[in-house]
Short mmCIF file of all heavy atoms in Angstrom, two decimals:
data_model
loop_
_atom_site.label_atom_id
_atom_site.label_comp_id
_atom_site.label_asym_id
_atom_site.label_seq_id
_atom_site.Cartn_x
_atom_site.Cartn_y
_atom_site.Cartn_z
N ILE A 93 44.35 13.96 -58.86
CA ILE A 93 44.74 13.29 -60.02
C ILE A 93 43.41 12.81 -60.77
O ILE A 93 43.28 13.01 -61.90
CB ILE A 93 45.62 12.00 -59.77
CG1 ILE A 93 46.99 12.48 -59.30
CG2 ILE A 93 45.79 11.18 -61.00
CD1 ILE A 93 47.91 11.38 -58.68
N GLN A 94 42.46 12.25 -59.97
CA GLN A 94 41.23 11.86 -60.61
C GLN A 94 40.53 13.04 -61.15
O GLN A 94 39.87 13.01 -62.23
CB GLN A 94 40.39 11.10 -59.58
CG GLN A 94 39.13 10.60 -60.22
CD GLN A 94 38.09 10.04 -59.22
OE1 GLN A 94 38.22 10.27 -58.07
NE2 GLN A 94 37.11 9.36 -59.78
N MET A 95 40.43 14.20 -60.44
CA MET A 95 39.73 15.36 -60.88
C MET A 95 40.37 15.93 -62.16
O MET A 95 39.56 16.33 -63.06
CB MET A 95 39.76 16.40 -59.76
CG MET A 95 38.83 17.57 -60.08
SD MET A 95 38.61 18.70 -58.71
CE MET A 95 40.14 18.92 -58.06
N ALA A 96 41.68 15.86 -62.27
CA ALA A 96 42.34 16.32 -63.52
C ALA A 96 41.90 15.46 -64.71
O ALA A 96 41.68 15.90 -65.79
CB ALA A 96 43.85 16.27 -63.28
N LEU A 97 41.83 14.12 -64.38
CA LEU A 97 41.42 13.23 -65.45
C LEU A 97 39.96 13.49 -65.93
O LEU A 97 39.70 13.43 -67.09
CB LEU A 97 41.46 11.73 -65.00
CG LEU A 97 42.84 11.12 -64.87
CD1 LEU A 97 42.72 9.74 -64.33
CD2 LEU A 97 43.60 11.02 -66.24
N THR A 98 39.10 13.83 -65.02
CA THR A 98 37.73 14.04 -65.40
C THR A 98 37.54 15.27 -66.16
O THR A 98 36.59 15.40 -66.99
CB THR A 98 36.74 14.09 -64.13
OG1 THR A 98 37.20 15.10 -63.26
CG2 THR A 98 36.72 12.76 -63.46
N PHE A 99 38.37 16.30 -65.92
CA PHE A 99 38.30 17.51 -66.68
C PHE A 99 38.72 17.43 -68.12
O PHE A 99 38.52 18.27 -68.98
CB PHE A 99 38.85 18.73 -65.99
CG PHE A 99 38.08 19.23 -64.88
CD1 PHE A 99 38.57 19.25 -63.55
CD2 PHE A 99 36.84 19.78 -65.01
CE1 PHE A 99 37.86 19.76 -62.48
CE2 PHE A 99 36.04 20.20 -64.05
CZ PHE A 99 36.57 20.18 -62.76
N CYS A 100 39.54 16.36 -68.43
CA CYS A 100 40.13 16.20 -69.76
C CYS A 100 39.02 15.98 -70.80
O CYS A 100 39.15 16.28 -71.92
CB CYS A 100 41.03 14.98 -69.72
SG CYS A 100 42.59 15.24 -68.85
N TYR A 101 37.90 15.30 -70.43
CA TYR A 101 36.96 14.96 -71.45
C TYR A 101 35.92 16.10 -71.72
O TYR A 101 35.14 15.93 -72.62
CB TYR A 101 36.24 13.65 -71.15
CG TYR A 101 35.18 13.67 -70.06
CD1 TYR A 101 33.82 13.88 -70.36
CD2 TYR A 101 35.59 13.51 -68.73
CE1 TYR A 101 32.94 13.89 -69.40
CE2 TYR A 101 34.60 13.61 -67.70
CZ TYR A 101 33.28 13.83 -68.04
OH TYR A 101 32.34 13.84 -67.04
N PHE A 102 35.84 17.10 -70.87
CA PHE A 102 34.84 18.16 -71.05
C PHE A 102 35.01 18.82 -72.50
O PHE A 102 34.02 19.06 -73.11
CB PHE A 102 34.89 19.25 -69.98
CG PHE A 102 34.01 18.78 -68.77
CD1 PHE A 102 34.63 18.50 -67.62
CD2 PHE A 102 32.68 18.62 -68.95
CE1 PHE A 102 33.86 18.20 -66.49
CE2 PHE A 102 31.90 18.22 -67.83
CZ PHE A 102 32.48 18.08 -66.67
N PRO A 103 36.27 19.19 -72.81
CA PRO A 103 36.38 19.86 -74.16
C PRO A 103 35.95 18.97 -75.29
O PRO A 103 35.34 19.46 -76.24
CB PRO A 103 37.86 20.19 -74.22
CG PRO A 103 38.37 20.19 -72.94
CD PRO A 103 37.54 19.27 -72.12
N VAL A 104 36.31 17.76 -75.16
CA VAL A 104 35.95 16.76 -76.18
C VAL A 104 34.36 16.68 -76.33
O VAL A 104 33.84 16.74 -77.34
CB VAL A 104 36.49 15.34 -75.88
CG1 VAL A 104 35.95 14.35 -76.87
CG2 VAL A 104 38.01 15.37 -75.96
N TRP A 105 33.79 16.59 -75.14
CA TRP A 105 32.32 16.54 -75.03
C TRP A 105 31.66 17.76 -75.71
O TRP A 105 30.80 17.70 -76.52
CB TRP A 105 31.76 16.33 -73.65
CG TRP A 105 30.40 16.41 -73.52
CD1 TRP A 105 29.55 17.35 -73.16
CD2 TRP A 105 29.48 15.26 -73.83
NE1 TRP A 105 28.28 16.96 -73.18
CE2 TRP A 105 28.18 15.70 -73.60
CE3 TRP A 105 29.66 13.95 -74.21
CZ2 TRP A 105 27.06 14.95 -73.79
CZ3 TRP A 105 28.53 13.15 -74.43
CH2 TRP A 105 27.24 13.67 -74.23
N VAL A 106 32.14 18.98 -75.30
CA VAL A 106 31.53 20.18 -75.74
C VAL A 106 31.74 20.43 -77.27
O VAL A 106 30.81 20.92 -77.95
CB VAL A 106 32.04 21.38 -74.96
CG1 VAL A 106 31.62 22.70 -75.49
CG2 VAL A 106 31.56 21.25 -73.48
N PHE A 107 33.00 20.15 -77.79
CA PHE A 107 33.27 20.53 -79.10
C PHE A 107 32.97 19.43 -80.16
O PHE A 107 32.86 19.63 -81.32
CB PHE A 107 34.76 20.94 -79.30
CG PHE A 107 35.13 22.19 -78.49
CD1 PHE A 107 35.91 22.19 -77.41
CD2 PHE A 107 34.44 23.40 -78.83
CE1 PHE A 107 36.21 23.35 -76.64
CE2 PHE A 107 34.65 24.51 -78.08
CZ PHE A 107 35.50 24.53 -77.05
N ILE A 108 32.97 18.18 -79.68
CA ILE A 108 32.74 17.06 -80.63
C ILE A 108 31.33 16.54 -80.60
O ILE A 108 30.59 16.45 -81.57
CB ILE A 108 33.76 15.97 -80.44
CG1 ILE A 108 35.15 16.47 -80.70
CG2 ILE A 108 33.34 14.72 -81.29
CD1 ILE A 108 36.24 15.50 -80.38
N VAL A 109 30.81 16.22 -79.39
CA VAL A 109 29.50 15.69 -79.29
C VAL A 109 28.43 16.70 -79.22
O VAL A 109 27.38 16.65 -79.80
CB VAL A 109 29.37 14.81 -77.93
CG1 VAL A 109 28.01 14.26 -77.81
CG2 VAL A 109 30.39 13.69 -77.96
N GLY A 110 28.69 17.92 -78.53
CA GLY A 110 27.74 18.98 -78.39
C GLY A 110 27.02 19.43 -79.75
O GLY A 110 25.90 19.49 -79.74
N PRO A 111 27.80 19.75 -80.74
CA PRO A 111 27.14 20.15 -81.95
C PRO A 111 26.13 19.24 -82.59
O PRO A 111 25.17 19.58 -83.17
CB PRO A 111 28.29 20.31 -82.99
CG PRO A 111 29.51 20.59 -82.09
CD PRO A 111 29.24 19.77 -80.87
N TYR A 112 26.29 17.86 -82.32
CA TYR A 112 25.34 16.96 -82.84
C TYR A 112 24.11 16.96 -82.01
O TYR A 112 22.95 16.69 -82.51
CB TYR A 112 25.96 15.60 -82.93
CG TYR A 112 27.09 15.44 -83.88
CD1 TYR A 112 28.38 15.36 -83.44
CD2 TYR A 112 26.85 15.45 -85.19
CE1 TYR A 112 29.46 15.35 -84.38
CE2 TYR A 112 27.87 15.43 -86.18
CZ TYR A 112 29.19 15.26 -85.74
OH TYR A 112 30.22 15.27 -86.66
N VAL A 113 24.24 17.15 -80.72
CA VAL A 113 23.03 17.03 -79.85
C VAL A 113 22.31 18.27 -79.82
O VAL A 113 21.13 18.19 -79.58
CB VAL A 113 23.53 16.72 -78.33
CG1 VAL A 113 22.57 15.83 -77.78
CG2 VAL A 113 24.92 16.07 -78.29
N THR A 114 22.93 19.42 -80.10
CA THR A 114 22.14 20.69 -80.03
C THR A 114 21.18 20.87 -81.17
O THR A 114 20.28 21.72 -81.14
CB THR A 114 23.05 21.89 -79.98
OG1 THR A 114 23.95 21.85 -81.16
CG2 THR A 114 23.82 21.92 -78.64
N ASN A 115 21.22 20.04 -82.16
CA ASN A 115 20.36 20.15 -83.31
C ASN A 115 18.99 19.46 -83.04
O ASN A 115 18.19 19.38 -83.95
CB ASN A 115 20.99 19.54 -84.50
CG ASN A 115 22.21 20.28 -84.99
OD1 ASN A 115 22.26 21.49 -84.77
ND2 ASN A 115 23.18 19.64 -85.57
N ALA A 116 18.88 18.79 -81.88
CA ALA A 116 17.57 18.16 -81.60
C ALA A 116 16.45 19.19 -81.48
O ALA A 116 16.63 20.20 -80.74
CB ALA A 116 17.71 17.33 -80.33
N ARG A 117 15.37 18.98 -82.16
CA ARG A 117 14.27 19.98 -82.14
C ARG A 117 12.98 19.25 -82.05
O ARG A 117 12.72 18.26 -82.76
CB ARG A 117 14.31 20.96 -83.32
CG ARG A 117 15.59 21.80 -83.34
CD ARG A 117 15.50 22.79 -84.44
NE ARG A 117 16.66 23.69 -84.38
CZ ARG A 117 16.68 24.70 -83.59
NH1 ARG A 117 15.71 25.08 -82.82
NH2 ARG A 117 17.73 25.50 -83.63
N ILE A 118 11.97 19.85 -81.30
CA ILE A 118 10.67 19.39 -81.32
C ILE A 118 9.81 20.68 -81.59
O ILE A 118 9.87 21.59 -80.83
CB ILE A 118 10.27 18.76 -79.95
CG1 ILE A 118 10.99 17.43 -79.77
CG2 ILE A 118 8.75 18.59 -79.84
CD1 ILE A 118 10.64 16.66 -78.53
N ASP A 119 9.08 20.69 -82.60
CA ASP A 119 8.22 21.77 -82.94
C ASP A 119 8.99 23.04 -83.08
O ASP A 119 8.56 24.12 -82.59
CB ASP A 119 7.07 22.00 -81.96
CG ASP A 119 6.19 20.75 -81.91
OD1 ASP A 119 6.06 20.04 -83.02
OD2 ASP A 119 5.59 20.43 -80.88
N GLY A 120 10.20 22.94 -83.55
CA GLY A 120 11.06 24.16 -83.78
C GLY A 120 11.79 24.59 -82.50
O GLY A 120 12.48 25.62 -82.60
N VAL A 121 11.54 23.90 -81.32
CA VAL A 121 12.28 24.38 -80.14
C VAL A 121 13.48 23.48 -79.93
O VAL A 121 13.24 22.14 -79.89
CB VAL A 121 11.24 24.28 -78.97
CG1 VAL A 121 12.02 24.67 -77.59
CG2 VAL A 121 10.14 25.20 -79.19
N SER A 122 14.60 23.96 -79.68
CA SER A 122 15.82 23.17 -79.40
C SER A 122 15.61 22.58 -77.97
O SER A 122 15.47 23.23 -77.05
CB SER A 122 16.98 24.12 -79.51
OG SER A 122 18.15 23.34 -79.15
N SER A 123 15.70 21.30 -77.96
CA SER A 123 15.57 20.59 -76.73
C SER A 123 16.25 19.28 -76.74
O SER A 123 16.52 18.72 -77.73
CB SER A 123 14.04 20.39 -76.35
OG SER A 123 13.51 19.55 -77.34
N VAL A 124 16.65 18.80 -75.55
CA VAL A 124 17.26 17.56 -75.48
C VAL A 124 16.60 16.61 -74.46
O VAL A 124 16.45 15.43 -74.64
CB VAL A 124 18.77 17.66 -75.10
CG1 VAL A 124 19.39 16.35 -74.78
CG2 VAL A 124 19.51 18.29 -76.18
N ILE A 125 16.13 17.22 -73.37
CA ILE A 125 15.55 16.45 -72.27
C ILE A 125 14.06 16.28 -72.51
O ILE A 125 13.37 17.22 -72.66
CB ILE A 125 15.79 17.08 -70.92
CG1 ILE A 125 17.27 17.47 -70.78
CG2 ILE A 125 15.34 16.22 -69.81
CD1 ILE A 125 17.52 18.41 -69.60
N ALA A 126 13.59 15.00 -72.58
CA ALA A 126 12.18 14.79 -72.68
C ALA A 126 11.73 14.02 -71.42
O ALA A 126 12.13 12.91 -71.21
CB ALA A 126 11.86 13.93 -73.89
N MET A 127 11.04 14.72 -70.53
CA MET A 127 10.65 14.14 -69.36
C MET A 127 9.21 13.71 -69.36
O MET A 127 8.35 14.52 -69.84
CB MET A 127 10.81 15.13 -68.21
CG MET A 127 12.20 15.53 -67.92
SD MET A 127 12.35 16.56 -66.49
CE MET A 127 14.13 16.69 -66.39
N PRO A 128 8.89 12.48 -68.83
CA PRO A 128 7.54 12.00 -68.90
C PRO A 128 6.56 12.96 -68.16
O PRO A 128 6.87 13.39 -67.03
CB PRO A 128 7.59 10.67 -68.19
CG PRO A 128 9.06 10.26 -68.24
CD PRO A 128 9.81 11.53 -68.26
N GLY A 129 5.49 13.34 -68.77
CA GLY A 129 4.41 14.17 -68.11
C GLY A 129 4.84 15.59 -68.29
O GLY A 129 3.92 16.43 -68.21
N ILE A 130 6.01 15.95 -68.56
CA ILE A 130 6.33 17.33 -68.79
C ILE A 130 6.62 17.64 -70.28
O ILE A 130 6.31 18.66 -70.76
CB ILE A 130 7.70 17.71 -68.04
CG1 ILE A 130 7.44 17.52 -66.55
CG2 ILE A 130 8.14 19.17 -68.25
CD1 ILE A 130 8.61 17.68 -65.58
#
Side-chain angles (χ1 to χ4, degrees):
I93 292 171
Q94 183 192 13
M95 190 169 44
L97 285 174
T98 58
F99 283 119
C100 291
Y101 76 96
F102 276 117
V104 172
W105 177 260
V106 171
F107 295 116
I108 295 175
V109 179
Y112 295 106
V113 216
T114 54
N115 293 331
R117 295 187 174 278
I118 290 182
D119 298 330
V121 177
S122 177
S123 61
V124 171
I125 309 167
M127 296 186 174
I130 298 174

